[in-house]
Amino acid sequence: MTTKTITWRLRTLMAERGMFKTTDLLEPLKAEGVALSREQVFRLVTQTPQRLNVEVLAALCTILDCTPSDLLVLEQVAARPAEATGTGGRIEDIGDLRPVPARITRPKP
């Protein structure tokens, strides 16, 4: 079984074009008609977005002179089979470990 992973390459493409700070995108985005706060641009650069506005994607492609497939790289990754964890609820598998009975005492007045 294979799964797809998405690699967001915005930071890499920015660096290739001499843009090393997230704030380097603020003015070019504004010039393209996209108004994002500094925090939104920071998240856009540092994290893979779950959703992406088409106008933002088009503006990034224009600013960085790239295509959407340069920004988003889809890769097929072979999924590893899940490893079995736990004991399946069998008591004999716990070895010398046994629960310690709790002692509840009332505080002295």
Side-chain angles (χ1 to χ4, degrees):
M1 183 172 151
T2 61
T3 60
K4 292 182 182 178
T5 61
I6 298 172
T7 303
W8 180 239
R9 298 190 61 240
L10 178 58
R11 183 180 286 256
T12 304
L13 292 175
M14 286 175 60
E16 288 173 359
R17 285 144 181 86
M19 302 170 81
F20 298 103
K21 297 183 289 187
T22 59
T23 54
D24 290 342
L25 273 180
L26 285 173
E27 288 304 316
L29 283 170
K30 189 182 284 185
E32 290 293 322
V34 176
L36 295 176
S37 68
R38 291 173 59 134
E39 293 79 15
Q40 289 171 317
V41 172
F42 177 81
R43 285 194 305 270
L44 187 65
V45 172
T46 60
Q47 302 170 9
T48 302
Q50 296 297 314
R51 293 181 300 274
L52 186 59
N53 185 308
V54 176
E55 281 108 21
V56 173
L57 179 62
L60 290 172
C61 288
T62 301
I63 294 164
L64 299 171
D65 190 31
C66 67
T67 65
S69 61
D70 294 330
L71 278 170
L72 292 163
V73 178
L74 298 174
E75 297 173 305
Q76 298 273 345
V77 178
R80 290 189 280 163
E83 295 180 13
T85 58
T87 62
R90 294 174 291 172
I91 298 290
E92 60 271 2
D93 288 344
I94 64 172
D96 293 334
L97 298 176
R98 296 286 178 255
V100 177
R103 291 186 184 171
I104 301 173
T105 58
R106 293 190 181 269
K108 297 184 183 190

